[in-house]
Amino acid sequence: MQFKNPEILYFLFLLVIPILVHLFQLRRFKKEYFTNVRFLKELAIQTRKSSQLKKWLLLLTRLLLLTFLILAFAQPIFKAKDSASATNELFIILDNSHSMQAKGQKGELLKRTVQELLETVPENQNFTLYTADESFVNTDIKSIQKELQNIKYSSSSFQLDNHFAKINSKKSILGKDIVVITDAIGLSQTAIKKPDSTWNTFYVIPKSEQKNNVSIDSVFIQQTLDNFYEINVTLTAHGKTDVELPVALYNKSNLIAKTLTTFDTKQKNLLFTIPKEDFHGYVSIEDNGLTYDNTYYFSITKPEKLNVISIGTTVKSNFLTRIYTPDEFNYSNYELAALDYNQLEKQETVILNELEEIPNALQITLKSFVGKGGNLIVIPSNKTNPQALTQVIRTLGAVSFGNLESNEKLITKISFSHPLFNSVFEKKTDNFQYPGTKSNFPVNSQYPPILSYQDQSAFLTGFQNGFGKVYVFSGAINKENSNFQNSPIIVPTFYNMAQNSLLTGVVALTIGNSNVFFIDAALEKDDIISIADGEQSFIPIQQIVNNKVKIALTNLPLDAGNYSILKKETPIKNISLNFDRQESNLFENNSTLLKDENVATNLASVFDTLQTDRTDQQIWKWFVLFALLFIVLEILIQKFVK
């Protein structure tokens, strides 16, 4: 037991006062007996004995009364078992990702959690609250009540390690209490590792009652017909697959097609045929699980002709005319001596086809071209100086060439996951007619190969430089050195290398990703590009690059939907944005990773624990009660003891 006001205990010397009074009352006096009262002697002796007992009882009650009264003013307490943490800073990390849209016993997990925060957090408690999008620093529950009630789901997944890093950056001599509220979807072992082991961390895991969910994962053009597009809609069922769902396709607000589908496998592909024209709409399903992934917005814009130029001899470049056809490309070939460098700025793709030398002026122009978003394809000549070629490529990326090797190699491996091929093959295959080369330059690159030889060395590699892409072959592909021109894989390879981010085909961007693309728009000095959906509009990060505008979308917009790119309020391009589907699987609950952590059933138990463990037990009231008790005892003694 300890005392808040131990100096009050000095007043215990006042206990001397009742003792002195008692001693004064016990002084002996000489008694004279008269004959007429002598017969009362025996009664007087008995009365004196009773009076002595009464005085001792009164002395005891007064001493105890005064003692308990003084002790009460000294405020005795039993120290809390965790009193050292009473001054800790409180941090609350709230998961507001889309998986918290799942329904628990009392409704959506996020909304119910917000209500518990409002009901549970003490009004006088200062804390800092982090969500994926917002931070409320050193506040109290009343001050942010409105903001909490209006909280929205975040396009970002729950990144606990990022929040821990924020907290760790706030240097303070005070300890830290951290309350993490998450459904543990996508939680990793690395994320729960605390930067400081002294942190007192509690986890509250709200549980969803319904885990089954169906999501629309992607939409792409399966094939292009003369007058129609055949589009593929991919659905994924998480949990039970024996469900029957209605699926609807809309162009703007007009219903184009509707069907009913069942799941015999986890993933289902549906095909729809739509007219070959601009499309600005969405696919929707009716599902009882999460709602954010029940709609997939996408736009299809009539493909624009891309400008492609190759630099090299006409004979060696003839194969490109069969790939870059006039209906989709503005293709032209120039020999180096006849090249007008000013034309390069107007191109989307430049191909250096077996040039023996690359002049310095062309090197400078190409570096600027790639930096502004152009695609560069480099096919070396057998007569190229590898050191000189390395010097050129080194200005763009970490690729170097060794000396020419004259030995035949087969091209046996395709990187199916690379963007060049991710929509080319229906399934992976390792049984195809292998093309090869008779000679090649060994390529040393830190970038993964796109096409590889049988010895795992790179035949084709590529990398990003700024907003442009660079593709490098390790050997010449003319018919004397290679049969690559006769391989079916040459068409998708060169076709996709010429594509860039001018938003052609199906446009369905993901909110939260670093979406950077170009649009053809001639802007004047004060012109600004804006993006709107009819209800909201915003101005994206933009930069004029030659006759194009580079648009960068980071965390905007906040809502999925169909948007129009506007120039002076005039629509010039349609885009669609969707939320990432990575939190659609509610079975990826990793709460088992928290087995060694403090996991609470609800918020109320967390704050009860904090208050109980850190609140001193004050017992001064009991001493006051005892003091009152001895007052009553003294009154009773005075009244009934003779």
Side-chain angles (χ1 to χ4, degrees):
M1 187 173 67
Q2 299 180 8
F3 296 91
K4 279 190 175 181
N5 304 313
E7 64 275 7
I8 300 295
L9 296 178
Y10 287 114
F11 286 92
L12 287 174
F13 78 90
L14 295 177
L15 295 176
V16 176
I17 296 175
I19 294 174
L20 292 176
V21 171
H22 179 75
L23 292 175
F24 180 78
Q25 290 179 344
L26 291 179
R27 285 183 305 170
R28 294 182 178 275
F29 297 93
K30 187 178 179 180
K31 301 174 184 177
E32 295 291 339
Y33 294 100
F34 296 91
T35 56
N36 57 345
V37 294
R38 190 177 301 273
F39 66 95
L40 296 175
K41 180 178 181 180
E42 183 178 349
L43 181 60
I45 291 174
Q46 293 177 354
T47 303
R48 178 174 294 275
K49 289 181 180 180
S50 176
S51 178
Q52 287 286 84
L53 177 62
K54 180 178 181 180
K55 290 176 181 179
W56 281 110
L57 289 175
L58 289 174
L59 174 62
L60 180 61
T61 54
R62 288 167 183 172
L63 286 174
L64 292 174
L65 166 62
L66 194 55
T67 299
F68 282 112
L69 199 58
I70 293 171
L71 291 176
F73 278 102
Q75 295 192 35
I77 58 173
F78 287 114
K79 205 69 174 176
K81 65 178 181 180
D82 193 18
S83 58
S85 302
T87 58
N88 279 8
E89 296 177 292
L90 176 61
F91 294 87
I92 300 175
I93 300 174
L94 176 59
D95 180 0
N96 64 325
S97 60
H98 277 106
S99 61
M100 291 286 284
Q101 201 176 59
K103 295 178 176 61
Q105 290 183 344
K106 299 181 180 179
E108 292 184 14
L109 299 183
L110 180 61
K111 292 182 179 179
R112 181 56 195 163
T113 298
V114 168
Q115 188 61 35
E116 285 188 22
L117 280 170
L118 296 174
E119 295 173 353
T120 306
V121 178
E123 292 184 1
N124 61 345
Q125 174 72 62
N126 276 17
F127 61 90
T128 295
L129 175 70
Y130 290 125
T131 68
D133 311 300
E134 297 180 278
S135 299
F136 304 95
V137 180
N138 196 21
T139 184
D140 58 76
I141 197 65
K142 273 195 169 182
S143 301
I144 61 170
Q145 179 177 354
K146 186 175 180 180
E147 287 81 357
L148 281 176
Q149 290 173 334
N150 295 327
I151 195 169
K152 291 186 175 181
Y153 293 99
S154 170
S155 59
S156 305
S157 59
F158 183 59
Q159 302 291 338
L160 181 58
D161 47 349
N162 290 348
H163 294 302
F164 279 166
K166 286 182 187 177
I167 296 173
N168 193 46
S169 65
K170 297 183 178 297
K171 302 301 180 182
S172 172
I173 60 172
L174 301 177
K176 291 178 173 60
D177 295 325
I178 302 172
V179 180
V180 181
I181 308 170
T182 177
D183 57 3
I185 300 296
L187 201 64
S188 66
Q189 187 69 56
T190 305
I192 66 175
K193 185 177 180 181
K194 296 177 288 188
D196 190 334
S197 59
T198 63
W199 291 357
N200 189 28
T201 309
F202 295 88
Y203 288 88
V204 180
I205 313 294
K207 298 187 182 299
S208 59
E209 296 292 311
Q210 170 63 271
K211 293 183 181 294
N212 298 320
N213 181 52
V214 177
S215 65
I216 307 176
D217 287 344
S218 63
V219 174
F220 59 90
I221 297 176
Q222 181 76 15
Q223 61 177 328
T224 302
L225 307 174
D226 291 338
N227 298 312
F228 297 93
Y229 291 122
E230 187 178 65
I231 63 171
N232 186 313
V233 178
T234 303
L235 308 177
T236 302
H238 304 285
K240 289 185 178 180
T241 57
D242 57 341
V243 293
E244 191 175 68
L245 283 179
V247 183
L249 175 66
Y250 290 85
N251 187 4
K252 296 181 179 177
S253 58
N254 300 320
L255 179 63
I256 302 299
K258 191 170 185 178
T259 186
L260 199 65
T261 185
T262 56
F263 285 82
D264 48 2
T265 59
K266 181 179 179 180
Q267 196 168 75
K268 183 79 173 182
N269 292 308
L270 302 178
L271 297 178
F272 293 92
T273 301
I274 61 175
K276 194 176 181 180
E277 57 187 29
D278 287 354
F279 185 94
H280 198 44
Y282 58 92
V283 180
S284 68
I285 59 175
E286 296 179 13
D287 172 45
N288 294 327
L290 301 175
T291 58
Y292 88 98
D293 56 10
N294 288 351
T295 305
Y296 192 93
Y297 299 92
F298 69 99
S299 301
I300 299 177
T301 304
K302 184 179 179 181
E304 300 175 358
K305 288 188 177 183
L306 301 177
N307 299 324
V308 179
I309 189 171
S310 64
I311 307 171
T313 62
T314 303
V315 175
K316 291 182 178 179
S317 301
N318 281 337
F319 76 96
L320 293 173
T321 61
R322 298 190 296 272
I323 299 173
Y324 301 127
T325 55
D327 57 334
E328 294 185 70
F329 298 92
N330 294 319
Y331 169 74
S332 57
N333 179 75
Y334 292 89
E335 296 199 10
L336 183 59
L339 177 64
D340 180 4
Y341 287 10
N342 292 325
Q343 290 195 23
L344 297 182
E345 293 184 352
K346 302 175 183 178
Q347 308 302 312
E348 273 75 56
T349 302
V350 173
I351 304 171
L352 303 183
N353 189 13
E354 300 189 31
L355 297 182
E356 295 181 13
E357 293 183 0
I358 303 176
N360 288 333
L362 181 57
Q363 294 178 31
I364 296 172
T365 303
L366 290 175
K367 184 177 181 181
S368 173
F369 168 76
V370 173
K372 293 178 179 179
N375 294 338
L376 175 64
I377 303 171
V378 180
I379 306 171
S381 167
N382 286 351
K383 297 180 181 180
T384 301
N385 184 322
Q387 288 75 29
L389 186 57
T390 296
Q391 190 174 9
V392 174
I393 301 298
R394 278 286 186 182
T395 62
L396 301 172
V399 175
S400 61
F401 294 84
N403 294 324
L404 184 68
E405 294 181 351
S406 298
N407 58 310
E408 293 190 15
K409 289 184 179 181
L410 293 179
I411 302 164
T412 60
K413 185 177 180 181
I414 303 172
S415 177
F416 294 100
S417 60
H418 194 277
L420 282 182
F421 302 124
N422 61 6
S423 61
V424 173
F425 300 93
E426 291 185 1
K427 60 180 181 179
K428 295 182 180 180
T429 178
D430 54 7
N431 183 19
F432 62 95
Q433 185 178 357
Y434 300 131
T437 59
K438 295 179 180 179
S439 60
N440 72 291
F441 297 94
V443 173
N444 182 18
S445 170
Q446 67 178 23
Y447 313 108
I450 303 172
L451 295 174
S452 304
Y453 288 114
Q454 61 198 80
D455 62 359
Q456 307 303 315
S457 60
F459 170 68
L460 172 63
T461 188
F463 56 89
Q464 187 93 18
N465 179 283
F467 299 104
K469 297 182 179 70
V470 180
Y471 299 97
V472 180
F473 287 87
S474 66
I477 59 174
N478 60 66
K479 292 186 177 181
E480 288 75 22
N481 188 63
S482 173
N483 62 346
F484 186 67
Q485 292 186 22
N486 299 327
S487 174
I489 199 173
I490 190 174
V491 176
T493 301
F494 274 88
Y495 182 91
N496 290 332
M497 284 193 296
Q499 299 294 324
N500 62 9
S501 52
L502 280 172
L503 296 182
T504 57
V506 173
V507 180
L509 306 178
T510 300
I511 297 174
N513 288 356
S514 181
N515 296 306
V516 179
F517 54 88
F518 291 82
I519 60 172
D520 281 322
L523 296 184
E524 297 178 1
K525 184 178 180 181
D526 297 328
D527 287 345
I528 295 177
I529 294 293
S530 61
I531 299 178
D533 69 345
E535 296 181 0
Q536 59 176 323
S537 65
F538 62 94
I539 298 175
I541 300 172
Q542 52 197 277
Q543 179 185 355
I544 299 175
V545 181
N546 298 332
N547 60 336
K548 303 180 183 65
V549 180
K550 182 186 72 178
I551 304 293
L553 303 178
T554 51
N555 291 325
L556 291 174
L558 298 176
D559 298 319
N562 292 316
Y563 291 81
S564 296
I565 300 176
L566 309 175
K567 173 189 173 183
K568 291 183 178 179
E569 305 301 324
T570 302
I572 57 176
K573 182 78 72 174
N574 291 328
I575 61 171
S576 299
L577 292 110
N578 298 282
F579 295 118
D580 198 314
R581 266 45 177 173
Q582 62 182 328
E583 298 219 350
S584 294
N585 188 358
L586 296 177
F587 289 91
E588 292 184 347
N589 184 300
N590 294 327
S591 57
T592 54
L593 296 175
L594 304 173
K595 59 184 178 181
D596 297 326
E597 304 289 338
N598 293 326
V599 179
T601 55
N602 52 54
L603 274 171
S605 63
V606 172
F607 286 98
D608 286 345
T609 300
L610 290 175
Q611 186 174 11
T612 302
D613 292 348
R614 297 175 184 180
T615 303
D616 295 333
Q617 186 178 355
Q618 301 189 18
I619 57 174
W620 62 270
K621 295 179 181 178
W622 288 101
F623 285 85
V624 172
L625 288 175
F626 281 121
L628 293 174
L629 175 63
F630 286 112
I631 290 175
V632 173
L633 283 175
E634 182 176 353
I635 294 172
L636 294 175
I637 291 170
Q638 293 278 20
K639 185 173 183 181
F640 296 105
V641 180
K642 301 299 183 180

